[in-house]
Structures are given as C-alpha cells and as structure tokens.
Amino acid sequence: MSPLDVLSGRSSAPSLRTEVPGPRSRALHERRQRSVARGVGSVLPIYIDHADGPWVTDVDGNRFLDLGSGIGVTTIGHGNPAAIAAAAAQLEQVTHTLFTVTPYEGYVRLAERLAEKTPGEHEKRSFFANSGAEAVENAVKIARRHTGRRAVAALDHAFHGRTNLALAMNHKAAYGTGFGPFAPDVHRVPNSYPYRDGLTGEQAAQRTIDHLEQRIGVTDLAALIAEPIQGEGGFVVPADGYLPALQEWCTRNGVVFIADEIQTGLGRTGTWFASEGFGVVPDLVLTAKGIAAGLPLAGVTGRAEIMDAADPGTLGGTFGGNPVSIAAALAVFDELEHGDFFAEASRIGERLEQQLNDLATRHPLIGDVRGRGAMYAFELTEPETSRPAAGAASAIAAFAAQEGILLLTAGSDANVIRFLPTLTTTDQQLDIAMDVIDRALTALA
Ligand code: PLZ
C-alpha cells in the first residue's frame, strides 16, 4: 500500500481514532434514547458520517470495513458514482408524480430490465413497491387472486419482513411477540438444511411436499415462498435438487412458486439471481435491498398471466416505484451488466470459502461453512454436541467491531456469522477480517 493509497482512502486497513463506540457516537446514542422508539435496535451503535466503497466512517473519525453492506443493500459499493449521478439527475428532473396518477418512462424501463434479467424466457410483468416486506405482501395478494386459493406456505428458518402478513410467515416468533393477531392461512413447512438434517435435496423436498399435501392440501394452496439461500435464517443453502423439486411440484399442482430474492438477488451470489445457480425458474421473483444501491425500492416480477390477475387499481402505493429510486436502479442494472461485479462476487466467494474452511480446520467451534458468491457464512456449534454455540457469534462480532470490522450475525439460533461484503471488497481486506476473526475464535476457545 503506497502512501498515496492511504491518503486517497484506498488503504486496506480499518483505522480507529477512538475507542468503539467513540465519544460522539456515545453522545448521540444517549440523545437517541429520548427520541427514537426503543423497539428500533442498532446492532452496533456507531453513528455513521460517510461511506465509500467497502468503508463506513463514523462521527468520531473511525473507519470500519463494512462486511454487511447495510444487510446486503450497497452491493455495488457505498457511493457508487453511476448510481449517485443517475439519482441526482433524476432528483432535479422530477422527484415524484406517482406512477398510478401520472406515469413516467423509468418505471417501464425497469420493468423491461427485470423481465430481461429474471430467470425464464416467458412473458413477464412487474410492479414496484418501497420495501421487501411490501413486495412479499403483494406477491401473496397476486398469487391468491390468480389461483383463487387461500393458503400460503413458507419454509422453516424463513424471514420475509416485519409487516403483519410477513410476521406470520417468519420462522422466528421473536419478531412478532405481542404484535398479533396474525394473518390466518399462513403455514410453515420444513426446509432443506443439509448441515442439520443430512438429507439430500430429493429427500428434503419430499419431506416439504408431504407437509404441504397433508397439512395444507394442494387445492387450497395459493403459493409457496422460498428464499433460494435463507438470509436472516443463517445463509442456509439448500441441498442440490431441493428447489427444482419444489418448483416442479408447484407447477404440477397450480401453486405459485415465489422466490424471495430480496437478499440473494442482483449480483450478490455471482449471477443476476440466485435462482439461476439452483436451476429454478420461479413464477414470481421478489427484489429489494440491492436493487437501487441504497435507495428504497422493491419489485415483484413474474409470469404475465399471474401478475395480470390483479385488476387495474388494486396494486399501488404513494411512493412505490419512486423516480429517483428507479433511476438509481437502472444505473445498478447498467453497472451489473457492464461492470465486473459478477466476477468480483465469485472471487469473494472463492476467497471466503477458502479462508473460512481454513479457519474451520483450526477452530472446532466452526461447525459449517456455506454460501454462494459474496453471501458466505459460518455456523458456530459446540464441538461435542453440535448444538448451536449460543453467544459465540455476537461475541465474535463485538470483538471484530473493536478492530474496525463490521460483521453481521444471522441464524434462527443467532449462531451464524454472515458475510455480505460490497463487491468492491478486495482479497487483502478479507484477509484482514479473517485475521481478526481468527483471533476472536482463539480468544473464545
Ligand atoms: N425478505 C429475504 O432478507 C430483509 C431485515 C432487516 P424489507 N432482511 C433484513 C430487519 O431487521 O428487519 C428481508 C429479507 C428477505 C424480505 C425482507 C424484508 O425486506 O425491505 O426489510 O422490508
């Protein structure tokens, strides 16, 4: 690293000027208690001042390597110049009209681009909303309208958001404690979790299908929703063949197969959508998070005959498909199409796989290493019992924060460390993070 690199912010190392959190962050945190609702947590209460590439810098001047990207949002890097320029130009041109009042071209263009890039050659339609949870809600709404059926199935360890319907779909009860009553006719069925169930894709799919047929009944089932790799659930990668078997069963039985690609989509796993990597062509594909480089936007894209079941005037929302977010999204599509981002995601995946497997040989607390592209994780389990090592993941994340590395945890048992780095993260930066994690694991043992 040359002095020039260091000065220009290209240095690979985090730099800490104060303790973490520093005095300014602590003061803001104290102020926050008197104005921000208690129900809003913050994983690490360092208050961010600015961000660039894989870096976030807090109000105390501490610069952290961000390996979470705001939970998988700034995939193409914080402050991507093309996305910012497109959003800034749009902001000046027109900020809002509401597509359902007076439409604009960007909305149509983004629908066209999603039709091109989501799996499958069939005719497609899209609809835009503000958040992932809204995309989930609307997909269910559309699937019910199309099928005329009432029930919806989600998988064990699923996470689909924080609105009322999504709360009914999530695996973890804690997201919804005290917030009920919840929507009826939402069912959860077993997933494929190779590290825990030891089943092949075919066996796991049969188990899921048995539940669907016996406990819900095919004629009442409108949709099955699945994250191709489960995000909040702990980066659970299904066994080969699992998702194609479910898709095939859904097609055969007139059930809408919805892929929640909110965390996995848009280049994260080294392809446009993770579904491609598993050989599935979902009926509906949900997008959000990384689609607009940090601006709020979500999409539902899918088979024309399913999407168009919803009558005119039944899909909408004031801010859905906001022109500024759409402009940023179109820039994201251009960046992914013309840049090296897919290759970078694959490079990051290979590096993480190799580094984490190496750590696993030396640290028996690491029970499993899994992921695809720039979506990798390790699961921490007690070496003797293989039971979730409670507290280990948060201890590692806390240790890393003290070294200037932002790590996210995941998993229904909160025993997973997940990596969602920006695709601008270098191998050298990953090496620095691995060294910190290595020391954290040694300290734990
Ligand atoms: N589906 C697969 O990962 C959001 C949750 C953050 P929204 N995951 C981050 C939090 O603490 O709530 C997510 C997801 C998948 C749906 C959602 C929901 O997307 O944009 O947060 O509503």
Side-chain angles (χ1 to χ4, degrees), residues 36-316:
V36 176
R38 202 169 58 91
V40 189
S42 287
V43 174
L44 179 64
I46 53 163
Y47 286 71
I48 299 305
D49 182 73
H50 60 276
D52 172 35
W55 302 106
V56 293
T57 303
D58 73 8
V59 289
D60 292 289
N62 299 312
R63 193 176 70 150
F64 295 82
L65 180 62
D66 179 9
L67 296 181
S69 308
I71 317 196
V73 171
T74 55
T75 309
I76 60 173
H78 288 285
N80 174 273
I84 289 178
Q90 184 61 47
L91 200 51
E92 296 223 344
Q93 201 177 326
V94 52
T95 311
H96 174 86
T97 65
L98 212 179
F99 193 78
T100 59
V101 176
T102 48
Y104 35 89
E105 183 180 350
Y107 196 111
V108 180
R109 184 77 197 113
L110 187 61
E112 291 167 350
R113 303 236 52 195
L114 276 159
E116 269 167 45
K117 301 305 181 193
T118 48
E121 299 302 312
H122 48 278
E123 202 173 325
K124 296 169 193 156
R125 303 280 185 269
S126 285
F127 156 70
F128 298 111
N130 306 294
S131 66
E134 255 189 288
V136 169
E137 296 254 349
N138 280 283
V140 169
K141 210 161 103 173
I142 293 165
R144 282 178 166 150
R145 183 79 179 95
H146 168 71
T147 58
R149 302 176 183 179
R150 56 180 173 75
V152 181
L155 299 178
D156 282 347
H157 301 286
F159 181 86
H160 296 294
R162 292 183 187 263
T163 55
N164 183 271
L165 177 63
L167 288 178
M169 299 164 81
N170 295 341
H171 173 96
K172 227 178 178 170
Y175 290 111
T177 305
F179 294 154
F182 299 111
D185 269 319
V186 177
H187 305 262
R188 239 175 344 270
V189 292
N191 65 341
S192 166
Y193 198 148
Y195 174 60
R196 293 198 185 178
D197 62 29
L199 300 177
T200 65
E202 205 174 289
Q203 292 165 334
Q206 196 51 54
R207 183 175 63 170
T208 305
I209 290 165
D210 286 346
H211 272 69
L212 294 169
E213 291 180 344
Q214 292 163 13
R215 301 194 180 178
I216 308 170
V218 170
T219 51
D220 281 328
L221 185 61
L224 170 65
I225 183 167
E227 302 156 78
I229 297 174
Q230 296 183 311
E232 307 305 305
F235 285 19
V236 182
V237 183
D240 281 344
Y242 177 74
L243 291 173
L246 292 189
Q247 187 203 348
E248 194 271 323
W249 180 87
C250 284
T251 305
R252 197 152 31 83
N253 290 287
V255 175
V256 177
F257 183 68
I258 305 171
D260 179 342
E261 292 250 17
I262 287 165
Q263 198 160 147
T264 53
L266 282 316
R268 174 55 59 190
T269 65
T271 49
W272 283 97
F273 293 94
S275 293
E276 291 166 51
F278 293 102
V280 286
V281 179
D283 296 315
L284 302 183
V285 174
L286 311 185
T287 46
K289 291 200 186 278
I291 194 172
L295 290 174
L297 185 70
V300 184
T301 301
R303 292 184 186 280
E305 66 275 19
I306 299 174
M307 292 296 292
D308 282 342
D311 295 305
T314 59
L315 302 178

Side-chain angles (χ1 to χ4, degrees), residues 256-409:
V256 177
F257 183 68
I258 305 171
D260 179 342
E261 292 250 17
I262 287 165
Q263 198 160 147
T264 53
L266 282 316
R268 174 55 59 190
T269 65
T271 49
W272 283 97
F273 293 94
S275 293
E276 291 166 51
F278 293 102
V280 286
V281 179
D283 296 315
L284 302 183
V285 174
L286 311 185
T287 46
K289 291 200 186 278
I291 194 172
L295 290 174
L297 185 70
V300 184
T301 301
R303 292 184 186 280
E305 66 275 19
I306 299 174
M307 292 296 292
D308 282 342
D311 295 305
T314 59
L315 302 178
T318 304
F319 292 123
N322 168 269
V324 180
S325 296
I326 294 242
L330 290 170
V332 168
F333 272 78
D334 286 344
E335 288 287 275
L336 292 178
E337 179 139 25
H338 302 299
D340 292 329
F341 288 105
F342 295 146
E344 292 298 284
S346 302
R347 168 188 58 78
I348 287 170
E350 280 162 28
R351 190 76 169 195
L352 285 172
E353 182 180 27
Q354 174 205 321
Q355 290 168 324
L356 294 176
N357 280 318
D358 174 55
L359 281 184
T361 60
R362 285 179 288 118
H363 297 287
L365 262 181
I366 299 183
D368 193 27
V369 170
R370 57 187 181 241
R372 292 268 165 108
M375 186 169 187
Y376 246 88
F378 60 93
E379 177 161 356
L380 296 148
T381 47
E382 302 291 352
E384 302 81 31
T385 60
S386 287
R387 280 216 289 271
S394 56
I396 291 169
F399 183 101
Q402 296 301 321
E403 302 277 330
I405 308 286
L406 289 190
L407 284 179
L408 295 175
T409 61

